[in-house]
Amino acid sequence: MNQNEAPESDGFPKVRLRRLRRTAAIRDMLQETRLSVKDLVCPVFIQEGIDEPKEIELMPGIFRVPLKNLARDIQEMYDLGLRTFLIFGIPKIKNDKATSAYSKDGIVQQSVKSLKQNFGEKIVTITDVCLCQYTSHGHCGIIKNNVADNDTSLKVLDKVATSHAEAGADFVAPSAMMDGQVKSIRNALDNANFTNVGIIGYSAKLSSNLYTPFRDASHSTPEFGDRKTYQMPFHNTNEALQEIMMDVKEGADIVMIKPALPYLDLIYKTRQSTLLPVCAYSVSGEYSIVKAAALEGWVNEDEVVMEFMTSIKRAGADIIVSYYAKRVGELLNRI
Ligand code: PBG
Ligand code: ZN
């Protein structure tokens, strides 16, 4: 029997919860979920052809940075204890074949190389593997007859992932949502002898309304149509779990749920149904909603951010991608 339920003489349990929460030190001792800076992944946007950082209009406080600023920015975050970074590239050249996505001196490839030179094995680099920043039409795959052609896109994604591995990426994170992308990339990496490069599957990527600021940030808004044909309807739990199980079978090392906050149920269910690490991506819209309210003075930004991050971890996420990673790092260092 639990202490809190020790019966009184009248047979009713004695409620002790209030007494247990009496002091901050006691509350701290009993805290069940502890967020660590090591749980966090910070996304970074590297843009080709700019000289100065450019603030993203829909994400105040977040910048697209030139390659020359990258090492310094990462060092600042390293000093706060952050170790893992998710790299997004914004190339100068876009075309319908997405060629700059897999070029040897593409922006992501150069960024990873520079990070490896500066930090070696002290940090973890994850690269986003997708085509939408690199295609002239802004879709995540190669378009044929007005739709993303799955198998042609897979071949290009294989090349992108291999080029990232060659540059020194520790993990690749395919986000194009083509069927079979994890398996295809796993084979491509293995064939090129990159057996030690891991794959983070964007396993359940919901067709969400919370990606708008990201598309502005990364210049990847589709010119026509939408992504509903290759992203998942947010109404379906079983389908999301099926996608996750498929990625596990295909060889994902880590599975991801995206967005995070409106999908805590999926994070929880995923945690219950696989032994792999579970990652949650708190997306651009989640950031911008909090930031906008904070700029209006309507909420306490730091407190809200800590509550949201803790909730995502409590639901079962082992790893959390967030645009607030740096701020959370600062806050955690203060305690
Ligand atoms: C596309 C991609 C998106 C995000 C990451 N990769 C946007 C989309 O699918 O439209 C969204 C991330 C965010 O909103 O923070 N490959
Ligand atoms: Zn994409």
Side-chain angles (χ1 to χ4, degrees), residues 156-190:
V156 182
L157 293 171
D158 289 352
K159 286 204 243 179
V160 177
T162 312
S163 72
H164 291 177
E166 229 158 72
D170 296 301
F171 286 88
V172 293
S175 68
M177 302 318 285
M178 297 300 133
D179 282 335
Q181 59 183 10
V182 170
K183 185 172 171 203
S184 180
I185 288 173
R186 185 68 271 158
N187 283 335
L189 290 175
D190 290 350

Side-chain angles (χ1 to χ4, degrees), residues 130 132 140 175:
C130 198
C132 51
C140 299
S175 68

Side-chain angles (χ1 to χ4, degrees), residues 4 14 21 42 77 87 109 113-114 120-121 130 153 187 196 209 292:
N4 291 322
K14 195 178 200 170
R21 295 193 195 112
C42 190
M77 292 194 268
I87 314 290
Q109 292 80 353
K113 252 182 244 163
S114 135
E121 293 182 351
C130 198
S153 303
N187 283 335
N196 56 352
N209 297 293

Side-chain angles (χ1 to χ4, degrees), residues 37 77 79-82 326 328-335:
V37 71
M77 292 194 268
D79 293 340
L80 293 167
L82 288 153
K326 186 175 182 190
V328 173
E330 287 167 355
L331 295 170
L332 288 173
N333 274 288
R334 244 194 240 164
I335 302 169

